[in-house]
Amino acid sequence: NAGVTQTPKFRILKIGQSMTLQCTQDMNHNYMYWYRQDPGMGLKLIYYSVGAGITDKGEVPNGYNVSRSTTEDFPLRLELAAPSQTSVYFCASSYSRTGSNYGYTFGSGTRLTVV
Amino acid sequence: GENVEQHPSTLSVQEGDSAVIKCTYSDSASNYFPWYKQELGKGPQLIIDIRSNVGEKKDQRIAVTLNKTAKHFSLHITETQPEDSAVYFCGPGGGADGLTFGKGTHLIIQP
C-alpha cells in the first residue's frame, strides 16, 4: 500500500518554464489537496478536489492549475514559473473533508526551485 | 475564514522534560482539532486529534486538551525523547471548510 506518491522529488525550473507535479493515491480517497510550504509559513492550500471531475481554489491558487480526471490522480500544473513559486509542494488525500476519520495522508513532497 | 495562531514557534526542552504547544483558532464552528508531526524531509503525519464533544484525549506520551469556550487546544508531550524532535502543526476545522493549519512549532529535544 503506497499511500500518496509524488513525483518528482526535486526540480529546478527557469523563470517562464512550465511543469506538472504528479500526485497519485491508492487509498480510494475522494478528497485530494495541494499545499505549498514556505519556511516559517506553515501549509497553504493551493487547490483541492472533492472527487473526480471537481476541483476548487484554496488560499493561494494564482499561477497554478489542477485537474482531476480519475480518483487516483491529482496533478498540479505550473505555468510560467516565477521565483515566488520556489517552495516545497505537498499533495495529500483524505477519506473526509477534515480527515476526521483517519487524517490526511501526505506525500513526501516536491522541492521546487525557480531560478 | 479560520484564523489560526500557534505558539511558540520554536520550543527547546531537555530530554525527559515535558513540552506544551498551544493553538488558538477563531471560528466557533470548528469541531475537529488535530495535531500533525512533520519530520525532516517528510510530509506531515496525524499524531492525535480531538472532537468538540471531548475535553481531553491521551495516547501514551502525547495528549491533546481542548478549551472550546476560549477557542484553544494544546498538544502535550511528556517524557520527551530525541525522536520527538520535529515540526508540529495544529489544524482546526469542521464541515465543508476542511482544515486550516497553523504556522508550525519547531520542537527541539536537547540531550
Side-chain angles (χ1 to χ4, degrees):
Chain A
N1 200 352
V4 175
T5 302
Q6 287 183 240
T7 56
K9 292 191 184 301
F10 304 93
R11 184 74 186 266
I12 298 175
L13 275 183
K14 293 185 178 179
I15 294 172
Q17 286 186 323
S18 301
M19 77 165 291
T20 299
L21 281 67
Q22 301 291 346
C23 176
T24 299
Q25 54 97 3
D26 62 357
M27 296 168 286
N28 203 33
H29 286 165
N30 281 328
Y31 296 86
M32 295 189 74
Y33 317 86
W34 274 106
Y35 287 90
R36 61 176 287 171
Q37 184 175 33
D38 301 307
M41 297 303 293
L43 295 156
K44 292 194 180 294
L45 183 64
I46 305 171
Y47 271 96
Y48 68 99
S49 170
V50 301
I54 306 170
T55 62
D56 209 344
K57 295 178 181 179
E59 184 182 358
V60 290
N62 291 344
Y64 307 94
N65 276 301
V66 293
S67 60
R68 184 94 182 270
S69 57
T70 66
T71 300
E72 294 78 19
D73 299 308
F74 190 40
L76 177 71
R77 178 82 178 161
L78 278 72
E79 303 282 2
L80 298 174
S84 60
Q85 293 178 304
T86 293
S87 189
V88 181
Y89 292 84
F90 287 99
C91 178
S93 71
S94 66
Y95 181 76
S96 63
R97 184 67 178 97
T98 61
S100 59
N101 304 79
Y102 306 103
Y104 283 16
T105 300
F106 283 84
S108 56
T110 295
R111 184 176 294 275
L112 175 67
T113 303
V114 181
V115 296
Chain B
E2 179 81 275
N3 186 27
V4 177
E5 292 192 3
Q6 196 176 325
H7 296 282
S9 57
T10 304
L11 178 60
S12 181
V13 301
Q14 289 295 124
E15 183 178 346
D17 286 351
S18 296
V20 181
I21 303 169
K22 185 176 179 179
C23 183
T24 303
Y25 61 96
S26 62
D27 190 350
S28 56
S30 290
N31 57 15
Y32 174 65
F33 307 93
W35 284 96
Y36 282 75
K37 176 184 181 182
Q38 185 179 24
E39 297 176 340
L40 197 62
K42 297 183 179 180
Q45 186 173 16
L46 177 69
I47 56 170
I48 196 166
D49 58 9
I50 196 169
R51 297 166 200 268
S52 59
N53 58 346
V54 177
E56 181 175 357
K57 182 177 177 182
K58 195 173 181 180
D59 182 4
Q60 298 183 359
R61 295 188 298 108
I62 61 172
V64 54
T65 58
L66 171 65
N67 184 328
K68 207 150 192 291
T69 303
K71 293 185 199 160
H72 65 74
F73 62 111
S74 296
L75 175 68
H76 305 255
I77 305 174
T78 59
E79 300 173 15
T80 53
Q81 299 172 4
E83 56 264 35
D84 295 328
S85 292
V87 179
Y88 292 82
F89 293 97
C90 64
D97 290 339
L99 303 180
T100 301
F101 288 99
K103 292 184 178 181
T105 295
H106 186 194
L107 176 62
I108 301 166
I109 308 300
Q110 302 278 6

